[in-house]
Amino acid sequence: MTDSGFCLLVNLDPVVLELLQEARCMTKLGVTVPKVVLKMTSREAQIKALYSRLLDLLQDYSSAVSRVPPLLLPVMQPFVSRVEAALSPGLTTLSWASLNTDAFIQGVYGALKELDQVAKVASDLLECRIGRLLESMSSCCLLVLPEDSPVSPQDLLLQADRSVRAAAATLGWQSQQLQKYVSQLVEELKRRMKAAEMLNLEVTPTERRRGLSF
């Protein structure tokens, strides 16, 4: 499934393979077979092998895109688009008689390898650093109410003030770390992008203060 919502399939009807097998049998029986079918019959093994490789290619493409965390899909789109651009000749110009199918497949796998590498680095940063830090921030306790004995309102206020101050200091440090990790993620993506692909990674001053860039 591409980003535009189209499902990619290998355009070879199984009936074609049956036809080639029948044509081979007819040739052995001395029955006249059209030259175009004879030509395809001579390439039956190559066509079957190419068909299998293309099936694997589309499966690898689908798996690579599915490994990208949904949160990262918007900023990973340039790398997905590179794979789709590499796939484009297979949708427009290539045929089963083309001589450059090997180069086409190698080009797609090159783009897939790059997508996988970037997705792994970005995912590690998101899950191991940003995600864990956000989880820690979300569980920060501002006040622990005493359960064993009563406490006066004045003591409760003092305890609350101390707890909130300590939590604020901790959250402030964590927020700075979060901003640092997000900046590392953005810089890692920018390093691998072309200038025209960086438009979605422009960080506004407001986003910098929030520590988020997407």
Side-chain angles (χ1 to χ4, degrees), residues 12-94:
L12 182 65
D13 195 306
V15 174
V16 174
L17 298 179
E18 294 178 7
L19 176 63
L20 294 179
Q21 184 176 1
E22 292 176 0
R24 188 171 61 253
C25 294
M26 292 172 67
T27 302
K28 291 180 179 179
L29 294 174
V31 179
T32 303
V33 176
K35 292 183 179 180
V36 64
V37 177
L38 279 176
K39 186 176 181 180
M40 288 187 66
T41 302
S42 66
R43 298 187 66 250
E44 182 180 359
Q46 293 93 322
I47 290 175
K48 287 182 177 179
L50 179 58
Y51 177 69
S52 179
R53 292 174 67 192
L54 291 175
L55 287 177
D56 291 341
L57 176 68
L58 292 185
Q59 180 60 49
D60 292 339
Y61 164 67
S62 178
S63 298
V65 174
S66 67
R67 285 193 293 270
V68 179
L71 183 62
L72 292 179
L73 272 177
V75 292
M76 289 292 295
Q77 187 54 45
F79 302 99
V80 177
S81 295
R82 291 181 190 180
V83 180
E84 293 179 352
L87 285 168
S88 180
L91 303 174
T92 55
T93 58
L94 293 180

Side-chain angles (χ1 to χ4, degrees), residues 28-197:
K28 291 180 179 179
L29 294 174
V31 179
T32 303
V33 176
K35 292 183 179 180
V36 64
V37 177
L38 279 176
K39 186 176 181 180
M40 288 187 66
T41 302
S42 66
R43 298 187 66 250
E44 182 180 359
Q46 293 93 322
I47 290 175
K48 287 182 177 179
L50 179 58
Y51 177 69
S52 179
R53 292 174 67 192
L54 291 175
L55 287 177
D56 291 341
L57 176 68
L58 292 185
Q59 180 60 49
D60 292 339
Y61 164 67
S62 178
S63 298
V65 174
S66 67
R67 285 193 293 270
V68 179
L71 183 62
L72 292 179
L73 272 177
V75 292
M76 289 292 295
Q77 187 54 45
F79 302 99
V80 177
S81 295
R82 291 181 190 180
V83 180
E84 293 179 352
L87 285 168
S88 180
L91 303 174
T92 55
T93 58
L94 293 180
S95 69
W96 293 101
S98 298
L99 301 178
N100 56 341
T101 52
D102 286 341
F104 163 72
I105 292 174
Q106 290 173 5
V108 175
Y109 272 116
L112 280 176
K113 181 179 180 181
E114 184 179 33
L115 173 62
D116 257 337
Q117 291 174 343
V118 177
K120 186 179 186 307
V121 172
S123 297
D124 288 346
L125 278 170
L126 180 65
E127 296 171 7
C128 299
R129 295 188 179 184
I130 297 174
R132 291 181 182 177
L133 190 54
L134 285 173
E135 183 178 356
S136 175
M137 293 174 71
S138 68
S139 61
C140 180
C141 184
L142 299 180
L143 177 63
V144 178
L145 294 175
E147 298 179 357
D148 299 333
S149 60
V151 62
S152 66
Q154 293 81 3
D155 290 341
L156 182 61
L157 287 174
L158 288 174
Q159 181 180 347
D161 183 67
R162 287 193 298 268
S163 297
V164 169
R165 287 178 183 274
T170 300
L171 289 172
W173 178 83
Q174 290 175 324
S175 179
Q176 291 176 353
Q177 288 297 111
L178 181 62
Q179 182 175 351
K180 174 184 174 182
Y181 294 151
V182 171
S183 295
Q184 289 178 356
L185 174 58
V186 172
E187 290 305 316
E188 179 63 27
L189 293 175
K190 280 185 174 182
R191 187 175 66 84
R192 299 170 181 262
M193 286 184 180
K194 301 174 183 177
E197 296 173 335

